Amino acid sequence: MLQWTLLLVLAIAKKSVVEPRPSWTPILEGEAVTLICHGVGPLKEERAWWYKNQQSRGILSTNIIQTNQPGEYRCQTQGSTLSDPVNLVFSSELFSPPDLKTTTSEPIEGTPVNLSCETQLSPQRLDTKLYFSFTRDGMVITSSGKNSHVLQIPAIQTKDSGSYRCEAKAVTQNILKQSNYVKISVKSGNLSSFNSSEKISHLSLGLIVTQFIVVVLAASALLFFFGPWSKSE
């Protein structure tokens, strides 16, 4: 039915016609759209001039092209006039910008830390494969090449302190999105040991002072009770 409609339009107007496939909307970002330029005449046209966004000079190419860029597209074959425009609008996100989360931003040296790169796929493209990578201070520290959004650091070190960021990429659609920055400051494990030792020292000093006070009080009590007896003798 669509083919007969196109032939009727061509016969009346002698215009080229741009046919988009798929023809439904909205079109997801990064999704490839096939554009077919139909011309007038019995001969099958295999080449056509393509115009984007009302440009004055077209690009000679095949009569079938693919694009994932928004804009207004026209075409013209050799035996027909310039077509009416077809406007491609990519209005839906394939996946949301990733959000980087961490189990803690101030870990103790030697403890495990997990970084999670979280994003949401479009309900229409839940089968899309995303690949994740993580950077620290702009340097890539891991590029998994796998569908894994979690970076595990079994025993973090002070040298691992810095600003972390993650990237999510849909390879097929060639879409890359970056997350927010998360700053991680690793605390030295020796500082924890020092604080523990300091607490123990303070506790020991307190016990010594308490024992001294007890001895003084006991001596005072003995002098109070036995002092009069020694004077009477």
Side-chain angles (χ1 to χ4, degrees), residues 164-180:
Y164 285 76
R165 197 178 200 182
C166 73
E167 295 180 348
K169 183 176 184 179
V171 177
T172 304
Q173 295 82 1
N174 194 29
I175 298 176
L176 175 67
K177 296 184 180 182
Q178 296 178 319
S179 74
N180 53 302

Side-chain angles (χ1 to χ4, degrees), residues 3-171:
Q3 185 177 5
W4 284 106
T5 303
L6 289 173
L7 290 175
L8 180 61
V9 171
L10 292 172
I12 297 175
K14 294 185 180 181
K15 282 186 178 182
S16 302
V17 174
V18 179
E19 178 192 358
R21 294 182 183 178
S23 58
W24 61 79
T25 56
I27 304 172
L28 294 176
E29 64 175 350
E31 187 175 35
V33 179
T34 299
L35 298 177
I36 304 173
C37 186
H38 297 278
V40 176
L43 297 178
K44 182 180 179 181
E45 299 284 354
E46 295 184 353
R47 300 186 70 79
W49 291 92
W50 289 95
Y51 301 83
K52 181 181 177 183
N53 296 332
Q54 300 180 347
Q55 64 189 94
S56 58
R57 296 188 62 184
I59 298 175
L60 183 62
S61 180
T62 61
N63 70 316
I64 301 177
I65 63 172
Q66 280 192 330
T67 181
N68 60 3
Q69 300 297 318
E72 184 182 86
Y73 291 84
R74 296 171 182 258
C75 77
Q76 182 178 1
T77 62
Q78 184 176 2
S80 58
T81 60
L82 187 64
S83 72
D84 291 329
V86 168
N87 193 26
L88 296 184
V89 178
F90 296 81
S91 58
S92 299
E93 284 188 325
L94 182 61
F95 61 96
S96 62
D99 183 23
L100 182 60
K101 296 182 178 179
T102 178
T103 49
T104 175
S105 59
E106 295 184 346
I108 303 298
E109 185 179 23
T111 60
V113 174
N114 289 342
L115 293 166
S116 178
C117 192
E118 300 182 4
T119 182
Q120 292 290 331
L121 285 168
S122 167
Q124 292 111 339
R125 292 293 184 274
L126 293 177
D127 58 344
T128 301
K129 289 186 178 181
L130 298 178
Y131 297 89
F132 299 90
S133 61
F134 295 82
T135 62
R136 181 181 67 241
D137 296 332
M139 302 294 293
V140 177
I141 55 176
T142 176
S143 182
S144 61
K146 300 180 294 185
N147 196 17
S148 174
H149 68 284
V150 177
L151 172 64
Q152 296 179 329
I153 306 176
I156 199 164
Q157 304 298 318
T158 53
K159 65 180 179 63
D160 296 323
S161 297
S163 294
Y164 285 76
R165 197 178 200 182
C166 73
E167 295 180 348
K169 183 176 184 179
V171 177

Side-chain angles (χ1 to χ4, degrees), residues 179-190:
S179 74
N180 53 302
Y181 283 103
V182 170
K183 184 168 181 154
I184 293 181
S185 300
V186 182
K187 294 184 177 180
S188 174
N190 295 331

